[in-house]
Amino acid sequence: MDYREKSDPELVELCKRADERAAVELLRRFERPVFSLIYRMVRDRELAEDLAQEAFVRAFNNLARYDPSYKFSSWLFKVAYNLTIDHLRKKRLNTVSIHGSPSAVTTELQAATAITVESTEERPDEALQSREIGSEIEVAIGELRQEYRSAIILRHVEGRSYEEIAEIMDVPLGTVKTYIHRARKELQGQLQHLLE
Amino acid sequence: MRDRATNPRRHLIPDEVETFALGLPARPRAARAHLGECAECHREVESLRALDEALSGLAHPAPSPRFAEQVMARVSLRAPWYARAWTVTRERWVPLAAASLALAATTSLMALWLTSQPELSLMSLSGLVVQQIRDFSLQVVMAIGSLLWSSSVLRSVIEASERIGTEGAILLLSALSLVTISAAGAMMRLMQPAPLRLRNAA
């Protein structure tokens, strides 16, 4: 049985029948998007990994509660988002920086918690330029309010619909539109030189 | 804000800007005509298109290579009882079929024997069963009691309780109750699922 060819609902059904290989395939599909969302929300690799791990464990261990009328990915993102928001509320990490977690008090800790911008460019000069642009965008995203940041990442980086974002963030559709509109305006203002 | 039908010169609203910038399917002709004429709206659309390209081009940072392994070590997938029963039935159908046949045969034989004994009504049969259970329980209790009485431990406990008096016995009983409750609590905690482990959450 080739699990890579199976759809998400098929894999979820197999997981419900305790098929571990189906769970591994779902993990393979969503580990990067879920980790990226959390990483961009908390800006701390180690913490993001812990939270992403917890999100997957909770999702898999509570599959019986999953309503198949929703997309599995939306449900998974919702679990990850709620877990991260709960953690941020407890830690009051509302404003973060690409230069590292605000809780990092030494240079070493700042370096350890700073977001790493990857590049897919093959030529070194293009890769460097791509990384620099990526860093600027990450800085701009990091300066947004937590709600705006999550909404804009889900919309433009993860390609989620407004309805899915409303479901994930548990806010009305109109609020999602407002968050995204304001986030775009702030980003367009900060990244004007890159967008022209 | 007036409708485009009544005001064709009105600027694009954010939803319309997004529709054109992201190339979404619903692009009304009137709005398209306005976009062709209005430099301001055209700039808006181009700016959002550029922002979307920049954001969607961001890489997905990867977790550590052992991420999946660590997750799977903490996941316990459990199939519902009927699915597990079906799996067991499929995998071990020969011994299951043999056991079922044996069970069916013995119960049929018992039923036949019971129906062939007219003096054994259902009530008298159940009374017989209850009597047997009661006798057996009584024998067990008596055996345990005589065993404890003959053991030196029980005798020493009784002697000690006589020496410590009523107040001491009550105190001892309270202490024992506390130990029992604590032990029950510890067992309950042990049976709970593992708590949320977050390295930085301390």
Side-chain angles (χ1 to χ4, degrees), chain B residues 62-76:
Chain B
S64 66
R66 292 193 62 217
F67 181 79
E69 190 189 323
Q70 284 164 345
V71 170
M72 289 312 292
R74 293 179 57 204
V75 168
S76 58

Side-chain angles (χ1 to χ4, degrees), chain A residues 63-81:
Chain A
L63 271 181
R65 290 189 212 162
Y66 163 62
D67 178 358
S69 60
Y70 294 98
K71 275 170 86 171
F72 174 74
S73 57
S74 296
W75 185 67
L76 182 60
F77 271 116
K78 190 180 174 73
V79 173
Y81 177 80

Side-chain angles (χ1 to χ4, degrees), chain B residues 14-127:
Chain B
D15 280 356
E16 289 171 327
V17 171
E18 179 167 357
T19 301
F20 286 102
L22 307 189
L24 303 177
R27 281 173 286 184
R29 190 179 295 170
R32 206 161 44 217
H34 172 80
L35 188 63
E37 296 165 359
C38 180
E40 198 181 324
C41 287
H42 186 74
R43 258 198 315 277
E44 281 273 319
V45 168
E46 287 308 312
S47 174
L48 182 56
R49 184 174 293 151
L51 179 68
D52 178 62
E53 275 173 18
L55 292 174
S56 57
L58 286 176
H60 277 122
S64 66
R66 292 193 62 217
F67 181 79
E69 190 189 323
Q70 284 164 345
V71 170
M72 289 312 292
R74 293 179 57 204
V75 168
S76 58
L77 296 173
R78 272 189 76 78
W81 67 268
Y82 49 85
R84 288 201 302 273
W86 176 240
T87 311
V88 170
T89 311
R90 270 191 317 181
E91 286 171 359
R92 300 174 194 165
W93 70 271
V94 177
L96 269 171
S100 306
L101 274 173
L103 190 70
T106 50
T107 46
S108 307
L109 279 172
M110 276 171 69
L112 274 171
W113 178 75
L114 280 172
T115 47
S116 67
Q117 305 291 316
E119 69 276 10
L120 274 178
S121 71
L122 200 62
M123 284 301 286
S124 64
L125 196 67
S126 60

Side-chain angles (χ1 to χ4, degrees), chain A residues 46-131:
Chain A
E46 204 179 354
L47 175 61
E49 197 147 325
D50 278 343
L51 288 166
Q53 203 182 99
E54 187 59 32
F56 276 106
V57 170
R58 282 193 189 183
F60 285 137
N61 286 347
N62 291 292
L63 271 181
R65 290 189 212 162
Y66 163 62
D67 178 358
S69 60
Y70 294 98
K71 275 170 86 171
F72 174 74
S73 57
S74 296
W75 185 67
L76 182 60
F77 271 116
K78 190 180 174 73
V79 173
Y81 177 80
N82 286 342
L83 200 65
T84 312
I85 285 293
D86 284 349
H87 180 78
L88 289 174
R89 277 185 191 141
K90 279 181 202 153
K91 297 286 283 181
R92 295 179 187 281
L93 289 174
N94 264 331
T95 49
V96 295
S97 157
I98 188 177
H99 305 301
S101 162
S103 58
V105 285
T106 63
T107 318
E108 289 79 19
L109 274 174
Q110 281 176 352
T113 58
I115 198 161
T116 314
V117 179
E118 295 169 7
S119 170
T120 51
E121 301 293 339
E122 283 181 7
R123 284 178 52 189
D125 53 338
E126 284 178 2
L128 180 67
Q129 195 187 10
S130 167
R131 269 203 301 273

